[in-house]
């Protein structure tokens, strides 16, 4: 069964606790937090304080995606805020093995994210050490973008790499996930489905959450 991870980037922050609870009651599995610093990507979102607020209102695993410069400087802060997963970008981190180990040393799961233009093969030397491979299927920085169609091939390549290395990482997909794309993403080999605007910009958050969850059972 697939894991549905609503992204609170698209939520109404004036009513965040209720919106998180609505997705949880409707079958969401994780809560996804897109952290952007306005430098690595052209947008500024939120920091550990919001992750801490989410932690207080849900028992679901909190999945933090750091789209920031120098993520090593904030790993401990997000761990203290309540993150269960922390993913850093391949394109930003120079000493990736060291960063992955540092995340795991806090007793939480470590992920590596790749941008649409980064090939899956780039991760061959780190794949066996990670818990999560996050494939961006839009260019990171803003919610509500359209799915980049050649990403289906990348998801399949990630599944093939996992099998080749006998690795155990989960394949997560973030960007353009909705009722039109989610089944093909599932069939390509995805395990964790991040959906933001499809859920939080809908007229009925619980119904949309349940509908997406049903498509990945």
């Amino acid at each position: 069964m697939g894991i549905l991870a609503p992204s609170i980037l698209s939520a109404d922050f004036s009513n965040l606790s209720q919106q998180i609870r609505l997705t949880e009651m409707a079958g969401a599995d994780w809560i996804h937090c897109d952290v952007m610093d306005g430098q690595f990507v052209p947008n500024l979102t939120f920091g550990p304080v919001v992750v801490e607020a989410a932690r207080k209102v849900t028992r679901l695993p909190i999945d933090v995606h750091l789209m920031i410069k120098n993520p090593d400087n904030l790993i401990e802060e997000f761990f203290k805020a309540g993150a269960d997963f922390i993913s850093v970008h391949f394109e930003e981190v120079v000493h990736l093995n060291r960063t992955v180990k540092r995340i795991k040393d806090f007793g939480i799961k470590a992920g590596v994210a790749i941008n649409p233009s980064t090939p899956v093969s780039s991760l061959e030397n780190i794949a066996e050490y990670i818990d999560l491979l996050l494939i961006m299927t839009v260019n990171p920085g803003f919610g509500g973008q359209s799915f980049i169609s050649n990403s289906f091939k990348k998801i399949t390549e990630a599944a093939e790499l996992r099998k080749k290395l006998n690795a155990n990482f989960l394949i997560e997909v973030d960007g353009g996930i909705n009722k039109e794309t989610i089944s093909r993403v599932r069939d390509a080999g995805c395990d964790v489905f991040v959906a933001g605007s499809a859920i939080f910009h809908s007229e009925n958050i619980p119904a949309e959450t349940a509908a997406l969850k049903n498509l990945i059972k």
Side-chain angles (χ1 to χ4, degrees), residues 3-199:
I3 295 167
L4 182 63
S7 169
I8 63 171
L9 176 64
S10 298
D12 176 2
F13 275 65
S14 68
N15 203 15
L16 183 60
S17 62
Q18 183 188 39
Q19 296 211 333
I20 288 174
R21 290 190 182 104
L22 288 174
T23 64
E24 183 173 3
M25 289 187 296
D29 302 289
W30 296 1
I31 297 298
H32 186 82
C33 299
D34 286 307
V35 178
M36 308 179 192
D37 64 356
Q39 298 181 59
F40 180 70
V41 293
N43 195 9
L44 183 65
T45 57
F46 53 81
V49 172
V50 171
V51 174
E52 184 177 9
R55 175 78 287 159
K56 290 177 180 178
V57 299
T58 183
R59 294 183 179 180
L60 295 180
I62 292 182
D63 174 33
V64 175
H65 176 195
L66 298 182
M67 289 171 272
I68 64 176
K69 302 286 286 184
N70 302 313
D72 288 86
N73 295 341
L74 287 174
I75 287 170
E76 184 172 1
E77 293 303 312
F78 282 101
F79 160 71
K80 290 178 178 178
D84 297 284
F85 290 80
I86 294 179
S87 295
V88 298
H89 264 266
F90 172 84
E91 299 84 5
E92 169 61 22
V93 179
V94 176
H95 303 293
L96 197 51
N97 288 77
R98 182 185 299 165
T99 299
V100 166
K101 182 179 183 302
R102 185 156 184 261
I103 295 170
K104 289 188 169 191
D105 283 347
F106 285 110
I108 59 177
K109 304 293 186 180
V112 173
I114 55 173
N115 287 335
S117 61
T118 301
V120 169
S121 58
S122 302
L123 299 180
E124 186 159 356
N125 291 325
I126 191 68
E128 64 185 286
Y129 302 105
I130 63 177
D131 302 296
L132 191 68
L133 168 54
L134 198 172
I135 297 174
M136 292 300 301
T137 47
V138 299
N139 288 296
F142 299 95
Q145 299 182 68
S146 299
F147 189 94
I148 296 174
S149 59
N150 67 2
S151 300
F152 294 115
K153 179 182 177 183
K154 290 183 69 175
I155 299 165
T156 300
E157 289 172 351
E160 291 171 349
L161 178 63
R162 177 170 61 186
K163 183 176 180 180
K164 171 186 172 183
L165 298 177
N166 194 27
N168 297 312
F169 59 82
L170 295 171
I171 299 169
E172 181 173 27
V173 173
D174 184 357
I177 297 294
N178 53 44
K179 284 186 284 192
E180 286 68 48
T181 59
I182 197 167
S183 295
R184 286 192 65 189
V185 170
R186 176 202 62 202
D187 293 344
C190 179
D191 304 299
V192 183
F193 304 77
V194 177
S197 57
I199 290 176

